[in-house]
Amino acid sequence: MAEIRTLHDAVAELIHDGDTVAMEGFTHLIPYAAAHEVIRQGITDLTLARMTPDVVYDQLIGAGLARKLVFSWGGNPGVGSLHRFRDAVENGWPRPLELDEHSHAGMANRYVAGASKLPFAVLRGYRGSDIPGRTDTVSTVTCPFTGEELAAVAALNPDVTVVHAQQADREGNVQLWGLVGVQKEAVLAARRVLVTVEEVVDALQPRPGGVVLPTWVIDAVAEVPGGAHPSYAAGYSVRDNDFYQAWDAVSRDREAFTAWLETHVHGRREAVAR
C-alpha cells in the first residue's frame, strides 16, 4: 500500500546504490524531480532502464551515477544527441558506461514479461540486426505449434520504477492521462515503485483513456508540482521546448554541465523536496 511521503524520504527509502532503476514517461510525465533528488543524494552504481532515454538520463549519466544503460534509442528529442551520454560512451567521462541496447518493441516486451511474471517475451523482431550479438538478453525460441523461429527477450524487472502522474488520492491510488508510454508495465514489473504527482486530491475522477495505478502496487507517492519539467503534464503544464534547445549547448561542455548541475539541481534542494 502506498504511503504519502516527501520526495527526499521516498527516494532515500526506495532507491539504493547498485539498483536497477526505470524512470519511464514518453515525452510526457517524465519524472525529472525524482531524478534530481537521486542526484542530490548521490545514489550511485545504478543500472538505468528506459525506453527512449532523453535529457533526464543525460543528467544522471553526466552526474556519474550510472554504470549501465538498458535502452532503446537515446537523444535530445527534436534537437540532437545526448552529449553527456556520448562522452561517457566515447571517453569514459565521468565514468565508463555499459550498454544493453534494444528495439522499442523489445524493451516494451521486456517490461510486459516482467509485469506478467514470465521469464521472457516472444516477438518478431531483431532479424537483420546485430543487436542479438551484443547482448545476452536477446535470444531465439522455436514456436512449439508452427516451428517458426522467433526472437525472445529476457524479462525486465527493475528494483525500482519511478513515474510521474497528474493525481493521486489520499490512499495512494494514482491516475495519469494523456500521452502515456510503458508506465503501467514498468510499474507492474518492478519490486518497488515511487510515483511523483502534480497534486494529491480527495478523490480521483474517471478520465477518458486514463490509467489508474492502484495503491497496492505502489510503495510511495510524493506530491511534486512541476515534477515533470521540462517535459509536461497534460492539464497542468506545457513542454518547455526552450529548455531542450538550450540543453544542447550546456551538455556539450563538461564545465558548463557541472555548473548547471550545481546551480539547478544541488542548489534547489528545498524547491523540489515536498
Side-chain angles (χ1 to χ4, degrees):
M1 302 292 284
E3 294 184 5
I4 309 297
R5 308 294 300 276
T6 66
L7 180 59
H8 174 276
D9 290 352
V11 168
E13 178 181 340
L14 297 177
I15 305 177
H16 312 132
D17 289 354
D19 277 350
T20 295
V21 180
M23 296 186 178
E24 286 295 346
F26 186 67
T27 77
H28 171 232
L29 297 174
I30 299 172
Y32 276 91
H36 292 171
E37 186 58 33
V38 169
I39 294 172
R40 281 190 290 273
Q41 294 189 24
I43 304 169
T44 191
D45 293 329
L46 300 174
T47 294
L48 298 176
R50 178 171 163 79
M51 289 184 65
T52 65
D54 54 9
V55 170
V56 68
Y57 274 17
D58 210 30
Q59 294 170 0
L60 286 160
I61 291 166
L65 304 182
R67 69 169 190 84
K68 182 177 181 178
L69 180 65
V70 182
F71 74 111
S72 57
W73 184 87
N76 183 348
V79 180
S81 291
L82 296 174
H83 299 292
R84 293 302 90 224
F85 176 17
R86 291 192 62 159
D87 203 5
V89 172
E90 295 174 357
N91 305 305
W93 193 94
R95 63 185 293 179
L97 184 67
E98 183 182 348
L99 300 181
D100 185 9
E101 185 176 3
H102 286 267
S103 66
H104 289 339
M107 279 292 290
N109 275 275
R110 293 192 69 191
Y111 280 129
V112 169
S116 303
K117 305 300 184 268
L118 294 171
F120 63 90
V122 176
L123 67 152
R124 287 188 175 90
Y126 294 100
R127 290 184 179 179
S129 167
D130 65 350
I131 289 177
R134 293 188 284 111
T135 176
D136 60 3
T137 55
V138 177
S139 187
T140 58
V141 64
T142 300
C143 175
F145 303 105
T146 66
E148 181 182 6
E149 185 178 84
L150 299 167
V153 288
L156 179 55
N157 292 102
D159 294 302
V160 190
T161 287
V162 182
V163 299
H164 188 74
Q166 284 96 337
Q167 293 179 347
D169 65 21
R170 303 192 186 281
E171 294 182 353
N173 299 293
V174 167
Q175 185 169 221
L176 57 151
W177 62 87
L179 180 63
V180 297
V182 293
Q183 290 101 318
K184 177 182 69 175
E185 292 79 5
V187 163
L188 294 176
R191 297 174 179 90
R192 302 184 296 278
V193 176
L194 166 60
V195 183
T196 57
V197 296
E198 291 293 320
E199 64 173 335
V200 175
V201 298
D202 291 331
L204 299 178
Q205 300 300 318
R207 301 267 180 170
V211 175
V212 175
L213 304 172
T215 183
W216 59 82
V217 302
I218 299 168
D219 293 276
V221 171
E223 185 179 30
V224 189
H229 181 269
S231 75
Y232 69 105
Y236 288 83
S237 62
V238 297
R239 189 176 190 269
D240 187 350
N241 292 313
D242 291 342
F243 180 94
Y244 286 94
Q245 293 178 354
W247 183 254
D248 187 70
V250 170
S251 64
R252 282 178 183 272
D253 182 80
R254 293 175 183 176
E255 291 185 3
F257 167 76
T258 301
W260 181 92
L261 205 65
E262 187 61 34
T263 299
H264 296 283
V265 177
H266 294 293
R268 298 186 70 242
R269 186 177 307 273
E270 297 302 323
V272 297
R274 289 192 54 171

